């Protein structure tokens, strides 16, 4: 299954988020991430939605979204042809100097920032495209992920 980024422009009305998310739930589609914010026009919001599936599922999701009254536009964004970013905080187990040095080296490779250090752990921050965050998480998982929090993707077409 592939991950798809959808940019959905909607009227900024009460209940729109609930209607969009329930559309996915009623049809058995899972939302991997969802972010919403107002645009330069306070009457319009942009939703960035990450979904998994194949091409027919993607087409069905887009058709169903366009049926909603408040949905003005739906764009399927490619990571390479859009500006997209996600933020992740990862708390890693770092009980000794060797682990801390290894984490620092990986952070240098990915341009991640160590934002907190304690005796037993380090908290790392990375803002990147989703595929690069996934790759980073694969690498740092060897150190033992204690906790993790991802913001969800924010995206706009170039």
């Amino acid at each position: 299954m592939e991950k798809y980024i959808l940019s959905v422009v909607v009227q900024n009305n009460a209940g729109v988020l609930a209607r969009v998310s329930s559309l996915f739930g009623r049809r058995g589609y899972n939302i991997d991430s969802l972010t919403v914010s107002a645009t330069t026009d306070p009457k319009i919001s942009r939703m960035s939605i990450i979904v998994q599936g194949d091409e027919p599922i993607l087409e069905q999701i887009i058709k169903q979204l366009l049926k909603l009254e408040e949905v003005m536009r739906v764009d399927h964004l490619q990571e390479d042809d859009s500006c997209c970013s996600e933020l992740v905080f990862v708390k890693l187990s770092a009980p000794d100097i060797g682990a801390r040095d290894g984490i620092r080296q990986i952070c240098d490779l990915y341009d991640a920032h160590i934002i907190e250090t304690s005796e037993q752990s380090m908290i790392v921050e990375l803002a990147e495209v989703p595929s690069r965050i996934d790759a980073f998480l694969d690498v740092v998982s060897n150190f033992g992920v204690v906790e993790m929090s991802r913001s969800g993707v924010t995206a706009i077409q170039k």
Side-chain angles (χ1 to χ4, degrees), residues 41-58:
D41 181 349
K43 296 177 185 173
I44 298 172
S45 290
R46 178 181 309 277
M47 296 182 175
S48 297
I49 306 172
I50 304 288
V51 295
Q52 281 190 31
D54 52 21
E55 285 289 330
I57 288 175
L58 175 65

Side-chain angles (χ1 to χ4, degrees), residues 86-97:
E86 182 175 12
L87 175 68
V88 65
F89 291 114
V90 187
K91 184 188 288 186
L92 299 168
S93 177
D96 56 47
I97 292 173

Side-chain angles (χ1 to χ4, degrees), residues 2 4-5 55 76-84 157:
E2 243 183 282
Y4 299 102
I5 303 170
E55 285 289 330
H76 169 215
L77 304 181
Q78 301 291 331
E79 201 173 89
D80 298 336
D81 299 329
S82 61
C83 294
C84 60
Q157 198 160 20

